[in-house]
Each structure stands twice: as structure tokens, then as C-alpha cells.
Amino acid sequence: MFVDNAKIHIESGRGGNGSISFRRTKYVPNGGPDGGDGGRGGDVCFIADTGLNTLMDFRYQKNFKAEPGADGSGSNRSGRDGKDLVIKVPVGTLVRYGWADKNSDRQTGFVMADMTVPGEKRVLARGGRGGRGNQHFATPTRQAPRFSEDGKPGKAYDVTLELKLIADAGVIGFPNAGKSTLLSRVTNANPKIADYHFTTLSPNLGVVRGDSFKDFVLADIPGLIEGASEGAGLGFDFLRHIERTRLLIHVVDAARLEDDTLTPARAVEKINRELFAYNPELLKRPQVIAANKADLALSDEWMAELNAYAGKNNWPVYIISAATGQGLSELMRGVAKVLADYPEGVVFEPDYEAFFEAESREAAIAVDSVRDGYYRVEGPGIERILGYTNMADERGFAFFQRFMREKGIIDRLKQLGIREGDTVQIYELEFDYYE
């Protein structure tokens, strides 16, 4: 089964906790603290695997969690790092932040990774840092620290996987125009071919081998009819695959029957209208028109209209018969020539680093007034300090108060009008404020 969309949850491993320990040796009366550090949590990595061509593996498994780091122990022994979780996806998989509804706004959510290079590896959820043991907190005035750091939590994201097949040229057109027959004649692909609409229910790929030109990948894109960009027919389930092609081949039925009202020129125009409604950038790609079924009677009037329409846009027109093979060699050579002049390194998606830049901006500490007499302090910075500090220890709590003053959090609370006796919530903890 061809599956090109999946929603999953990924979570990196939590860091191990630092240890509180003191050296106890018979002949070493002042051994001091020797608590080891916690291990780093495992990362969640995605790798583009050429052996996969569908997201079927994610149809039933939805949750992926890396291994947490082990806790530290005495004698300065650090905990073991958690194992990284490697998730293999097909080449051409797009990883978006959030579970966007594919039938609404396909651009919802940051692009976390665009897996277009075979074998490339992306770390999308880094494991939590291990907490430091109490050995790190010893000072000349604090020789026996009875606190350590807790491990930092891992990152957790709901992500949407979208598979967009990568091909040099995409074969598009209305149902029964002969797209699958064309693919089967010029490549070794074996798509299903039958005399009814929507025979092809999933994209097919094939490689065109040439003696006089460079080989290229050809994709048969099914399901395009008028209204496809709004969900008609197969909807835009497969329109996303066109976005990864460098050239478009319009296959149109040029054989005129008595009840035909859709001319080849109008067919190309309607398909382009759907492409523009889906993504206006698609019309900037080079296009080639293949007038199919030349083995049947072609209309001079229709061909004149098609040539005039194509000429306005500088699109070459090839008369072919996918059934008999007529004109296919000329068509493939023409496509190869256009591809040779078109850049390969086309960036089809925005830079995924935008996601991590946005995430880093969220590291600030937020101080808000929830209601009269009640304030809330949140943010990764304050959350990290809470995890590092033993609030039950008097010196640990004093360290936390000093952090609040040095970071200006107390001043920001005063600016919001905090008074003695008011409540400050910091995640699951609540404090009464006093000067």
C-alpha cells in the first residue's frame, strides 16, 4: 500500500540525574563529595533511506521515544548515555512541526527537515543533558554540598510526515490520457493500465535510459481533474508529488471523438489552473506537451489551437502515440535537453533551520500577572534551574532566590505590581512573595 502522509509523536530521552554521594574510606576521613553525573538522553534522528518508498511503516506505530540517560552514582561514576533513536524515512520526506490537517492549510507548521539527500541524517529532538553530581558544587566555603542537578527533560514533538516523490519530470494530465502507458513504454515500470478513470491510484516512478542523453527519473502523477486543488477526484493527495519535479509533461488526448468537448489546449489550461491554485510556483517550471493517440484521427483544428496556445508560452509540442511508440524517442530527447539546461539544485522547501531559530527564541523567561495577587513565571530558563536545584535544602533555596534576583525576575514582578503576601507560581511550585 502506498502511504504518503503520517502523523507521529517523537520524544528524545531524558538526561540522567546527578548523584549525591560522599567518599567513605577508612583512612580518608575527609573524602568529600563524589557524586557522578547523569548520562545524556538519546537523540531522535531521521535518516533518508533509499530502500523505502512509502510511509507504510508509520501507519500503525505512532510513538517514538529515545532511551533516557542513566543516573550517576558514587565514586565519580557517570551514568551511561541513552541510545539514539534512528527513524528511517523515504527520500523526499518532509517533516513538519505539528499535526496539520492536510485538507486545510498544507503549509501549517514549521519545516523541521526536508529529507532530499539519500543517506542524510538530521537530529530533530536532542536528548536532555545529564544532571551534574554534587562533586561539581563543592567550594572552599561549601565543602559538603547535599544537592545535585536533575537531568534535563528531552524534547517532545508532534510531527507530520509528508512524502513527496523526487523525480526529474512529472507526467500529468486528465484520467485516461495515456500517462501510465507512456511510463510503461519509456521505462521498466509496470503501472496498472485499464480503460477506466482513476486506474492509477498512486504515483509510479521509472528511469528513462538514454544513449545520447543523461538518464532521468520520470513520475506518473495520478488523480488530476478539474477541481483537484479543492479536493475533487483524488483531491490534492498527489499534487504534492508534482512539487518535487523539475519539469512537467502534459499528456493530452488529441484524438477527436464525436462527443468530445474538451480540446487539448483547454485540457492543458485547466490542469495548469489547478496547479496554480495549489502552488503558483509550479507554473514557473518548464513544461512540455505530449499530444497522445496519434495512431487515431487527429483534428487539424485542435492541433492548430494547441500549437498556438503552447507557442504563447514557449512550450514544445510533441505528437506521440504511447500505444505504438510513435514519437516517444523524440519526446524523451526533448525532455532530456530541457532538463540539461534546468538547474538541479532547486530548493523546493523553506530552510528547516527556521524551526530551531524560532524554538531558541522561546528560551526567554516569561513573567505574567494572571490575576490580582497571583503571578506566573515560566520558560525553559527557569525550568532548567528548578531541575538543578534542591529546593528542600536551605542553601539550595538560597541559590534559587539569588538567581531570581540576578536575572531581574524580582524586578519584573515589582513592575507588575506584586505586593507582600501575593502568590508566585513557577510550574508546579507556588511561593508567597516577601521582601
Side-chain angles (χ1 to χ4, degrees):
M1 178 183 294
F2 183 81
V3 179
D4 62 357
N5 191 281
K7 299 175 181 179
I8 64 174
H9 177 82
I10 61 174
E11 184 175 350
S12 60
R14 183 185 183 90
N17 298 327
S19 172
I20 302 175
S21 175
F22 297 90
R23 185 178 180 187
R24 308 293 186 187
T25 305
K26 183 176 182 180
Y27 299 106
V28 185
N30 299 317
D34 67 350
D37 301 339
R40 179 189 62 83
D43 299 334
V44 177
C45 312
F46 283 75
I47 188 168
D49 189 346
T50 55
L52 301 175
N53 54 19
T54 176
L55 297 176
M56 183 67 184
D57 292 343
F58 304 98
R59 187 177 179 87
Y60 302 106
Q61 185 177 357
K62 300 291 186 181
N63 296 294
F64 298 84
K65 186 174 182 179
E67 185 180 56
D71 295 341
S73 57
S75 300
N76 297 324
R77 288 176 293 185
S78 297
R80 180 176 58 82
D81 291 343
K83 293 182 180 179
D84 294 341
L85 176 63
V86 178
I87 301 175
K88 295 181 179 181
V89 294
V91 177
T93 299
L94 189 70
V95 185
R96 288 191 185 276
Y97 174 71
W99 286 359
D101 183 359
K102 67 177 181 178
N103 291 320
S104 57
D105 182 2
R106 66 183 184 282
Q107 297 297 339
T108 298
F110 292 104
V111 176
M112 297 178 70
D114 194 358
M115 312 297 292
T116 57
V117 180
E120 75 172 318
K121 184 178 181 180
R122 296 278 182 89
V123 179
L124 297 191
R126 295 200 176 275
R129 183 167 64 85
R132 292 179 292 174
N134 66 338
Q135 59 171 312
H136 294 281
F137 301 99
T139 66
T141 58
R142 185 177 59 204
Q143 297 181 5
R146 296 185 178 277
F147 59 90
S148 63
E149 292 178 343
D150 289 338
K152 188 177 181 181
K155 296 288 186 180
Y157 305 115
D158 293 329
V159 300
T160 300
L161 305 181
E162 298 177 8
L163 174 58
K164 298 183 178 183
L165 295 181
I166 299 177
D168 296 302
V171 182
I172 59 176
F174 281 101
N176 271 45
K179 302 184 298 295
S180 297
T181 304
L182 170 63
L183 183 71
S184 67
R185 290 299 298 260
V186 298
T187 72
N188 289 327
N190 294 303
K192 182 179 179 181
I193 300 172
D195 189 19
Y196 54 85
H197 286 354
F198 300 112
T199 308
T200 305
L201 297 177
S202 63
N204 294 295
L205 288 175
V207 178
V208 179
R209 307 285 185 186
D211 297 330
S212 59
F213 55 82
K214 183 180 177 182
D215 297 347
F216 61 89
V217 179
L218 194 64
D220 167 21
I221 311 296
L224 294 189
I225 63 172
E226 189 173 10
S229 61
E230 300 175 355
L234 294 180
F236 45 69
D237 283 349
F238 300 116
L239 273 169
R240 68 170 65 93
H241 300 290
I242 300 176
E243 293 181 294
R244 293 298 173 88
T245 59
R246 296 191 290 135
L247 177 146
L248 302 177
I249 304 175
H250 285 270
V251 178
V252 292
D253 187 347
R256 184 168 189 173
L257 302 177
E258 293 182 359
D259 57 347
D260 279 347
T261 58
L262 184 64
T263 68
R266 289 186 57 203
V268 175
E269 184 180 10
K270 285 189 175 184
I271 292 295
N272 277 333
R273 195 178 302 140
E274 298 303 322
L275 297 182
F276 181 83
Y278 178 77
N279 185 353
E281 292 295 319
L282 291 176
L283 293 192
K284 297 180 181 179
R285 312 270 170 84
Q287 298 188 19
V288 171
I289 299 177
N292 192 25
K293 303 186 180 180
D295 52 311
L296 303 177
L298 299 184
S299 167
D300 294 337
E301 178 185 352
W302 278 14
M303 290 307 302
E305 181 189 12
L306 179 61
N307 287 323
Y309 173 72
K312 294 178 183 179
N313 299 282
N314 295 319
W315 296 335
V317 177
Y318 295 87
I319 298 177
I320 68 167
S321 171
T324 65
Q326 175 186 341
L328 296 185
S329 298
E330 291 78 6
L331 172 62
M332 293 301 105
R333 281 196 294 270
V335 170
K337 184 178 184 302
V338 176
L339 289 174
D341 298 331
Y342 195 73
E344 292 189 13
V346 179
V347 178
F348 297 112
E349 293 295 335
D351 190 355
Y352 83 100
E353 292 292 343
F355 170 80
F356 298 102
E357 290 172 2
E359 186 183 55
S360 65
R361 290 195 295 268
E362 297 174 0
I365 297 174
V367 181
D368 300 306
S369 175
V370 180
R371 57 179 182 271
D372 187 33
Y374 195 91
Y375 299 82
R376 179 182 297 133
V377 180
E378 291 182 334
I382 194 74
E383 185 180 16
R384 181 168 59 250
I385 292 299
L386 282 178
Y388 293 170
T389 307
N390 183 1
M391 303 297 287
D393 181 82
E394 182 178 349
R395 282 171 292 185
F397 187 69
F399 169 78
F400 179 73
Q401 289 179 309
R402 186 165 62 252
F403 172 85
M404 296 277 285
R405 289 194 300 272
E406 292 175 351
K407 295 299 181 182
I409 299 174
I410 298 298
D411 292 338
R412 293 168 65 183
L413 288 170
K414 290 180 179 179
Q415 292 174 3
L416 291 174
I418 194 170
R419 299 185 297 270
E420 289 202 6
D422 289 350
T423 301
V424 179
Q425 179 193 8
I426 305 178
Y427 290 94
E428 71 274 8
L429 300 178
E430 289 187 352
F431 304 91
D432 292 332
Y433 173 76
Y434 292 99
E435 289 287 348

